[in-house]
Every structure is written in C-alpha cells, then in structure tokens.
Amino acid sequence: GLDEPFDGDANSCWVSGKSQHGGMWMVVDLGKTEIFFKALMLITASPHDQDFPGDDVNVFVSNDGTFGAPSKTVRGNQWTWVDFESAQVGRYIRFEITKSVDRWWRFLYGLRF
C-alpha cells in the first residue's frame, strides 16, 4: 500500500522557506530499512500547488545516510512519482533539486511497498 509517514496534510508539509536552487535537498529517514518500488513527492493543495521542483530531481537511496550516484532522476511535478527500475532497499531517501526556480519547495511524500 501507500505509506504516508507525514500526516498527509499539505498545509503542514515540509517547506524550504526560500526559493529552490540547484543542489537543494531533503532527506527522508524511514526509521528502519525498507524495501520499496516507488516514491511519491506530492504537492497539490492551493494556494501552494505550484511549490514542486521546477526541473529534474535526483533521487538517492541509502542504508546508512551516505549517498553515491542517484538511483533515479525524475522531472518535478505536483505528483512526482519515482518509479525505480528494481526494488530499492534502504532507510534514507534523498531528493535533490538540479536547477534553481523562483518559488519555494513544499514536500509531502509516500512510498509504494
């Protein structure tokens, strides 16, 4: 099923507090190692429904918080599904914006197990 570790309320999501810039990142700690196939970055609530990454996002998965090469690169959107080529095993997921955009970044997420 879809696991939403945050409360699912777009008004209480994580917010960058400043404009997006290349290299800006957010790490999600799942609390323990999980196996998952998809991750979702979600922003749809007005008036902040445009505060999604304005370009590509590199996605990294790690067991120990050390990140190597991206596991996947996706284009940011209100519903940004990261559909991995194979099952991912890790505790940490890092989302990193690749390009500057003049709007904030708001962030909710879910995982597909």
Side-chain angles (χ1 to χ4, degrees), residues 5-99:
F6 292 170
D7 65 8
D9 181 353
N11 294 312
S12 64
C13 62
W14 177 84
V15 180
S16 64
K18 60 183 177 179
S19 292
Q20 299 173 34
H21 61 82
M24 180 181 275
W25 54 269
M26 165 68 172
V27 172
V28 175
D29 180 351
L30 302 175
K32 63 183 173 77
T33 300
E34 297 280 4
I35 299 171
F36 52 93
F37 298 90
K38 294 184 178 187
L40 170 66
M41 289 185 294
L42 171 65
I43 285 298
T44 57
S46 186
H48 307 293
D49 54 345
Q50 297 301 306
D51 289 354
F52 55 86
D55 203 76
D56 289 345
V57 178
N58 290 325
V59 184
F60 307 80
V61 178
S62 170
N63 282 317
D64 62 4
T66 302
F67 300 96
S71 299
K72 185 84 174 184
T73 300
V74 295
R75 181 76 171 177
N77 206 329
Q78 289 176 331
W79 286 77
T80 304
W81 276 108
V82 182
D83 192 1
F84 297 103
E85 306 301 323
S86 60
Q88 299 295 298
V89 179
R91 175 176 174 168
Y92 302 94
I93 307 171
R94 177 176 166 144
F95 300 88
E96 182 177 289
I97 292 175
T98 61
K99 185 177 177 184

